[in-house]
Amino acid sequence: MNAFDLVLLVTVVLLTLVVVGAVLFGVRVLRRLAVTPAAEDPAFIAEKDRQEQSLAALRTAADEANSTIDVAKSMAAAARAEAAAAKAEAKAARAEARRVLDAARVEADTVLERAHKQAETDAEQLRTTARRSGEREVAVLAATTREQAAEVERRAARMDERERLHTEEVERLAERERQLTAASAALAARESALVQREQEVAEAEEQRRRELERIAGLTAEVARTELVEAIEGQAKREAALLVRDIESDARNTAEQRARHIVVDAIQRVASEQTAESVVSVMHLPGDEMKGRIIGREGRNIRAFESVTGVNLIIDDTPEAVLLSCFDPVRREVGRLTLEKLVLDGRIHPHRIEEVYDLARQEVEQLCQRAAEDALVEVGITEIHPELVTLLGRLRYRTSYGQNVLKHLVETAHIAGVMAAELRLDVPTIKRCAFLHDVGKALTHEVEGSHAIIGADLARKYGESEDVVHAIEAHHNEVPPQTIEAVLTQASDACSGGRPGARRESLEAYVKRLERIEEIAAGKLGVEKVFAMQAGREIRVMVKPDDVDDIGAAVLARDVAKQIEEELTYPGQIRVTVVRESRVTEIAR
């Protein structure tokens, strides 16, 4: 009996007790009504009616209890039927389980039998394979043994041949020794004859010397001294001429060789004719965007300038604004920020700060990627991450219109070609040339020359002393002491001085030419000055009566030195002093 049957039984018992109690109560009421005398008293009648109502209610309750009992009995019967069905299902399930278990056992026996058969088959195949492998190995060993036996026979034949050759060589050496003995005897006889002949010659020479002294009236020592002095003077003159010719030839050869190396390096480095520069003009879709950029009472433009550090100049130029900042990286961040704001259309102080952060991260990523690409192009792998970051900032830095990062790459290539031609350490020299302008990334933040700043950075981040010295000496702040420093200077001059590499404004160009002519014209004895080849050569015409040849050389050196001290220019400037003397005569 399960829990449901127990609960149903308890319910039926309780309902039975309630019905019995109600029946007993009704019987008692009927007895009281039977013994009570009939009376027409209203109270008695009311009491009787009440009792009859109670009896009717009890009968109703009894009927309901009987119906409930019937329902409970039907439910119990249904429950017993369900229990019986459940038992039948359980019995069927057990039978099914036994059947499945028997089938599984049969299947397992079948699988085991198959597995045994498969294992036997695999074992047979393995035995067959092993047998074949053994046969092959035996065949290989037999072939190897035959080859080794043949090799031994060949070696024995070679040994016999060598022994025969050795015997023949011994015989030849014995014959050679006999010949040498005979030749030695002949040489001894000739040597004795030569000794006797030398004695005769010495006696004849002594006799001739005494005869010459008697005729010339000079001793042999005095004559030897005069002859040595004459020969020494002639040798000195010939040596001076030879040294001069050698120096001239070496100078011409060295200059031609250096010119060939530089020209070959520049020709092999294919660079842009004009380098890009940072754009500071922002084009707008319409003039109404200027009002949105300025904002109510100028709050947007003030927020933009305070956040980015870039001055925003808005004038009458149609559909354009100007961004002004001495730091090219900050200027590029400001340009990207303004471009994103214009494209988005939402311009207010909070949005400006959000877009500025995005633009700054984008510029940093662009700088990092540009530095990594430059390192890959040059072939430098191991370098400090901080130096990579500083090199990336040079992507937006220009010098006379030439992009500094591209200038570094070009300088490294030129230096590598020169080093390869001179058979020097190419990786070290390319590293020196590539890092020589790294200090320009901090010239807006740190006081001093970019060469000294770059040397300090390279020393701080673990670069070698050769690299540090080449960086600090490439503008002669420190005298160059190594070949790496000299080649760094040369490659820097080639990259910056080639035609089309750099440009400058017309006003600065004219002022530089004027200042060059003023420096030369201020010297004593100068008649005319001409700046030629875009300021890369200056010709000074002097008065021949006031300036002699030595004074012309001194004047050229003074002008070149003053130009180096006062002016800044790309490449080099050649100073040529022309002194011309003219004599005119009239024939009548």
Side-chain angles (χ1 to χ4, degrees), residues 109-405:
D109 294 338
T110 305
V111 171
L112 285 174
E113 185 177 358
R114 289 178 188 166
H116 287 308
K117 292 181 179 179
Q118 184 67 30
E120 291 176 357
T121 304
D122 294 342
E124 183 64 26
Q125 290 179 355
L126 288 174
R127 283 194 294 271
T128 305
T129 304
R131 190 181 303 110
R132 292 176 181 174
S133 299
E135 292 175 354
R136 284 196 299 270
E137 290 180 358
V138 168
V140 171
L141 289 175
T144 305
T145 303
R146 287 194 296 272
E147 291 178 357
Q148 289 179 353
E151 181 65 22
V152 169
E153 292 178 357
R154 287 194 296 271
R155 289 184 179 179
R158 285 198 296 271
M159 292 293 294
D160 295 340
E161 182 68 18
R162 288 181 182 177
E163 186 175 357
R164 185 181 62 79
L165 294 175
H166 181 68
T167 304
E168 293 178 356
E169 185 67 21
V170 169
E171 293 176 357
R172 282 198 299 272
L173 289 175
E175 181 66 22
R176 183 72 178 276
E177 186 176 359
R178 287 192 296 271
Q179 293 176 359
L180 288 175
T181 303
S184 298
L187 286 174
R190 291 184 65 182
E191 185 177 358
S192 61
L194 287 174
V195 170
Q196 184 178 359
R197 182 68 178 272
E198 286 179 357
Q199 291 177 355
E200 294 176 357
V201 170
E203 292 175 358
E205 181 69 21
E206 181 66 22
Q207 185 177 0
R208 185 177 64 82
R209 183 180 62 78
R210 287 195 297 269
E211 184 67 19
L212 287 175
E213 289 180 356
R214 184 184 63 80
I215 295 173
L218 295 174
T219 63
E221 294 296 331
V222 175
R224 186 182 297 109
T225 302
E226 292 182 355
L227 181 61
V228 167
E229 290 178 354
I231 293 174
E232 183 179 1
Q234 183 179 0
K236 285 183 179 180
R237 286 192 299 272
E238 293 178 355
L241 294 174
L242 182 61
V243 167
R244 186 183 64 184
D245 294 340
I246 292 174
E247 288 181 350
S248 177
D249 185 41
R251 190 179 298 110
N252 294 333
T253 304
E255 184 177 357
Q256 183 178 1
R257 176 65 174 161
R259 187 181 296 110
H260 172 72
I261 291 174
V262 172
V263 171
D264 182 62
I266 293 177
Q267 287 177 348
R268 289 172 62 182
V269 177
S271 300
E272 298 177 354
Q273 187 69 11
T274 55
E276 63 176 288
S277 61
V278 177
V279 178
S280 58
V281 177
M282 175 69 191
H283 296 281
L284 303 177
D287 288 336
E288 66 276 2
M289 186 60 68
K290 292 182 179 181
R292 299 178 63 183
I293 293 174
I294 295 173
R296 183 179 299 174
E297 297 178 358
R299 66 171 186 171
N300 289 346
I301 191 172
R302 286 197 301 271
F304 180 85
E305 291 180 349
S306 63
V307 170
T308 62
V310 178
N311 293 326
L312 192 60
I313 302 173
I314 301 177
D315 52 14
D316 296 335
T317 305
E319 299 180 355
V321 295
L322 182 67
L323 293 93
S324 174
C325 180
F326 67 92
D327 190 343
V329 178
R330 244 165 42 198
R331 182 166 55 210
E332 180 64 15
V333 173
R335 189 187 68 80
L336 283 178
T337 302
L338 185 59
E339 182 179 352
K340 291 179 180 295
L341 288 171
V342 170
L343 291 176
D344 185 42
R346 296 176 295 169
I347 304 177
H348 52 81
H350 181 66
R351 181 62 180 167
I352 290 173
E353 295 178 358
E354 294 178 353
V355 175
Y356 170 73
D357 293 335
L358 295 176
R360 183 168 52 81
Q361 295 176 4
E362 183 177 349
V363 170
E364 290 177 357
Q365 293 176 359
L366 291 174
C367 292
Q368 190 76 12
R369 190 179 302 115
E372 293 172 355
D373 293 342
L375 289 170
V376 170
E377 184 177 354
V378 175
I380 297 175
T381 56
E382 297 181 359
I383 191 170
H384 198 280
E386 291 296 330
L387 286 178
V388 177
T389 303
L390 293 174
L391 288 169
R393 297 179 64 179
L394 295 177
R395 181 177 186 268
Y396 299 104
R397 176 70 189 267
T398 58
S399 176
Y400 292 99
Q402 185 182 25
N403 185 277
V404 177
L405 186 57

Side-chain angles (χ1 to χ4, degrees), residues 13-59:
V13 171
L14 289 177
L15 290 175
T16 305
L17 292 176
V18 172
V19 171
V20 171
V23 170
L24 292 176
F25 181 74
V27 170
R28 185 180 298 175
V29 171
L30 289 176
R31 287 179 181 177
R32 287 176 62 184
L33 290 175
V35 299
T36 303
E40 297 295 332
D41 189 6
F44 176 77
I45 294 171
E47 180 65 20
K48 185 179 179 181
D49 293 336
R50 186 179 62 77
Q51 290 178 358
E52 289 178 356
Q53 291 176 358
S54 299
L55 184 59
L58 288 173
R59 288 175 182 164

Side-chain angles (χ1 to χ4, degrees), residues 432 466 469-471 473-474 479-490:
C432 296
D466 292 337
H469 175 68
I471 294 173
H474 78 277
Q481 302 292 334
T482 61
I483 187 64
E484 289 84 0
V486 174
L487 282 182
T488 301
Q489 282 186 339

